[in-house]
Amino acid sequence: MTAPESFPEDLYQTLADFQQTHLLAWWDELNERERSELLAQIQRINFAQIQRLYTPDPSAKSEESPAQKAERATRPATVVRLEDRKSAPTESEKATAQGNQLLAAGRVGAILVAGGQGSRLGFSHPKGMYPIGPVKQTSLFQILVEQLRARARQAGQPISYFIMTSDATHEETVEYFQQHQNFGLSSDDLYFFKQGTMPAVDAESGQILLEQKHYIAVSPDGHGGMLAALKNNGMFDVMREKGIDTLYYHQVDNPTAIVCDPEFLGYHQNANAAVSVKVVSKRSPDEKMGVVCDVDQKTQIIEYSDLPDSIAEQTDEAGNLLHWAGSTAIHIFNRDFLEQIANDDARLPFHQANKKVPFIDASGSQVAPEEPNAIKFERFIFDVLPEADTVLVYETDRSREFNPVKNAEGQDSPRTAHEALNLIFSDWLQSCGVKLPADAIVEISPLFAVDETELKQKISVDTQFTSPLYLGE
Ligand code: UTP
């Protein structure tokens, strides 16, 4: 077999060795631009890795399954419960002061992962552009950036924001920030870095799918792709140069995450942890959340789909769920810990997911499958947890801090996030003594007040407010 016209012979040999020459089925029909696009995509693929990862039936693997591992799950060792924090205000105040010191010393950076395709939400732009503010329809991105700016203002020190995008979100995200002057964030403090992609393979054959005759079906390589992306884009170097050693990590879909929460930072530092994870109490054993637990003395997150019902339902003597700690996907990472793992690529595993991926079949026709036909490969950032000597598990109040926008309707949807924001702001005002009508609609920009304490300094009890109410900078 020889390579088709103008295709590199050695690369063709690689395709042949890995049974992937079908990627060139339409080569002769392609124009020059299409050929160079396809060639560039092929050059970026690690075919040996794809072959290694492709397992048509993961249950046939000889290694222990996640469900078997879950049999040995115990409660995590290093935990700060919400009740404990409330009943020890001095300790919690000390932690907050410590976190504020870290911020004031410029040692904290924030990472926002915003490279996902947001397929469940079905919004035709990057999810961060979704309008979610109860009054002004402020976007997720704007709410989060304003929080970061408010925190930096309090600390008297800029905080760098490292925003991960992907091929699916990069251009529109960058343009959106430019159009809005980065929502007031200095360009010296804003870094976009793009994650990698992985090709999708046919579930039956392991052959890489073509989405178009000149374009391979690829998708972002999961939020765990962040490690390679930080490294390959020189972000660790930037952090080191700026003296940033502690990273607050959050996801673009949760507008109520407390960006760079000083108290969380303080507890993280006190625990001498390499990683901290914010958790909430699961609503029920079958709630679809990753569960934080220890297995063989290593704190880790077990995905809900890997947790057998019998284990999820286990309770202690008091009747409380044994595996109560649901992950909010809010973390603090020590930079040097992340860097170590990023330098040893094999330490973060890939997961397989069966998905519906449109493709070009052997006759050249477009197929839109109705059932999952393909395997996508993704890395999850929480797989770094078991690599850490100490992981702090820190409980927070769900209604205050965990209101993600995942689905178009129902639970974890724009409606629930919208309601949660409204409730948080109304509660703040009421705790300041402000009387609001029961159906008041309220939005408070973080630049007006980042929390209840700041709000108390800004408004007087006798101020009259009418709904809808927006308090901005
Ligand atoms: P999700 O796992 O909820 O995925 O991402 P998603 O892409 O937003 O939505 P679905 O599953 O397609 O409906 C959680 C967070 O991780 C980011 C997302 O942008 C979101 O902030 N993420 C996810 C990435 O940055 N890259 C990825 O490859 C996947």
Side-chain angles (χ1 to χ4, degrees):
M1 281 198 293
T2 50
E5 184 207 333
S6 72
F7 190 84
E9 192 63 50
D10 53 342
L11 192 54
Y12 184 74
Q13 194 50 52
T14 306
L15 291 182
D17 291 347
F18 291 99
Q19 288 88 49
Q20 302 285 2
T21 49
H22 66 285
L23 294 175
L24 302 179
W26 317 102
W27 185 261
D28 292 341
E29 290 180 19
L30 304 182
N31 62 36
E32 215 156 295
R33 182 187 53 80
E34 292 169 335
R35 282 183 178 185
S36 74
E37 279 177 22
L38 180 59
L39 174 62
Q41 263 195 316
I42 293 175
Q43 281 167 330
R44 282 198 296 270
I45 294 175
N46 180 341
F47 290 96
Q49 180 190 49
I50 300 293
Q51 189 178 61
R52 217 173 32 248
L53 293 176
Y54 168 70
T55 317
D57 177 11
S59 63
K61 272 192 188 168
S62 57
E63 65 195 53
E64 188 180 40
S65 72
Q68 285 168 324
K69 210 164 139 189
E71 300 278 346
R72 299 196 302 286
T74 56
R75 279 184 164 159
T78 312
V79 182
V80 177
R81 295 291 310 237
L82 184 57
E83 280 310 313
D84 297 342
R85 283 198 284 132
K86 284 187 183 156
S87 60
T90 326
E91 209 177 303
S92 128
E93 279 163 24
K94 246 171 48 196
T96 306
Q98 228 171 312
N100 279 327
Q101 272 173 19
L102 280 175
L103 287 160
R107 289 174 55 187
V108 180
I111 300 179
L112 175 67
V113 288
Q117 293 170 306
S119 43
R120 283 169 288 173
L121 181 62
F123 180 54
S124 58
H125 304 286
K127 205 191 259 189
M129 290 168 63
Y130 198 92
I132 204 73
V135 177
K136 287 259 177 147
Q137 280 75 50
T138 316
S139 68
L140 287 161
F141 275 137
Q142 181 169 351
I143 290 176
L144 297 172
V145 172
E146 289 190 355
Q147 264 211 68
L148 181 110
R149 285 182 55 209
R151 188 72 62 203
R153 192 177 60 190
Q154 270 189 343
Q157 177 71 240
I159 302 173
S160 293
Y161 214 1
F162 300 90
I163 302 183
M164 184 166 87
T165 57
S166 64
D167 278 344
T169 63
H170 186 80
E171 272 174 37
E172 237 186 313
T173 301
V174 172
E175 210 174 289
Y176 178 65
F177 271 73
Q178 277 167 356
Q179 275 165 4
H180 294 88
Q181 290 77 45
N182 301 337
F183 303 102
L185 187 65
S186 157
S187 52
D188 293 343
D189 303 325
L190 180 61
Y191 299 87
F192 290 105
F193 65 104
K194 197 153 68 146
Q195 69 179 109
T197 55
M198 285 293 278
V201 303
D202 178 79
E204 301 272 301
S205 66
Q207 286 199 324
I208 292 172
L209 292 170
L210 281 172
E211 188 179 300
Q212 295 170 46
K213 290 180 174 175
H214 72 287
Y215 190 79
I216 292 171
V218 290
S219 52
D221 57 0
H223 38 63
M226 177 186 108
L227 290 190
L230 284 170
K231 182 177 171 199
N232 298 338
N233 291 287
M235 294 297 116
F236 287 125
D237 302 327
V238 171
M239 292 170 186
R240 226 174 301 109
E241 276 158 27
K242 288 189 152 184
I244 296 168
D245 59 11
T246 308
L247 298 162
Y248 173 89
Y249 164 99
H250 63 141
Q251 304 193 328
V252 76
D253 52 26
N254 182 6
T256 59
I258 301 175
V259 178
C260 296
D261 176 4
E263 189 180 351
F264 186 34
L265 285 163
Y267 273 103
H268 170 82
Q269 197 186 31
N270 271 334
N272 224 344
V275 181
S276 290
V277 49
K278 262 197 189 181
V279 298
V280 291
S281 241
K282 276 177 72 179
R283 285 193 175 116
S284 60
D286 62 354
E287 187 176 6
K288 292 184 172 169
M289 293 185 90
V291 164
V292 186
C293 54
D294 280 9
V295 179
D296 307 333
Q297 280 88 50
K298 289 283 174 198
T299 303
Q300 48 207 276
I301 295 181
I302 300 185
E303 282 187 273
Y304 64 84
S305 50
D306 288 335
L307 194 68
D309 292 349
S310 56
I311 297 178
E313 285 160 7
Q314 285 172 350
T315 52
D316 61 16
E317 308 83 63
N320 298 315
L321 276 186
L322 204 59
H323 303 301
W324 59 273
S327 171
T328 64
I330 296 171
H331 297 285
I332 296 173
F333 297 113
N334 289 352
R335 190 208 68 228
D336 57 358
F337 168 75
L338 283 191
E339 226 177 332
Q340 270 168 31
I341 301 183
N343 285 334
D344 185 0
D345 193 60
R347 278 166 82 180
L348 205 62
F350 276 94
H351 297 254
Q352 296 192 10
N354 281 76
K355 298 273 173 161
K356 288 186 268 183
V357 175
F359 66 101
I360 300 281
D361 70 10
S363 69
S365 313
Q366 292 262 6
V367 183
E370 289 184 359
E371 294 300 323
N373 61 316
I375 296 176
K376 284 187 178 182
F377 302 104
E378 278 193 338
R379 279 170 157 166
F380 300 149
I381 194 61
F382 56 72
D383 279 327
V384 303
L385 263 69
E387 302 283 329
D389 287 337
T390 305
V391 175
L392 169 70
V393 179
Y394 174 100
E395 187 186 4
T396 188
D397 178 351
R398 175 194 290 260
S399 53
R400 170 65 188 89
E401 222 181 327
F402 186 56
N403 301 284
V405 179
K406 297 279 185 196
N407 309 306
E409 281 166 15
Q411 251 192 11
D412 297 340
S413 64
R415 185 181 56 75
T416 56
H418 192 282
E419 284 170 4
L421 284 164
N422 196 35
L423 189 67
I424 292 167
F425 300 138
S426 305
D427 280 353
W428 288 1
L429 282 166
Q430 272 155 358
S431 82
C432 293
V434 173
K435 299 224 171 346
L436 287 170
D439 56 355
I441 302 187
V442 186
E443 182 174 345
I444 301 176
S445 159
L447 297 173
F448 184 82
V450 74
D451 55 24
E452 197 178 305
T453 316
E454 198 174 20
L455 188 64
K456 280 193 178 127
Q457 295 157 5
K458 291 253 172 108
I459 58 166
S460 65
V461 183
D462 44 13
T463 321
Q464 291 294 315
F465 291 117
T466 51
S467 171
L469 168 67
Y470 177 79
L471 297 175
E473 194 170 13

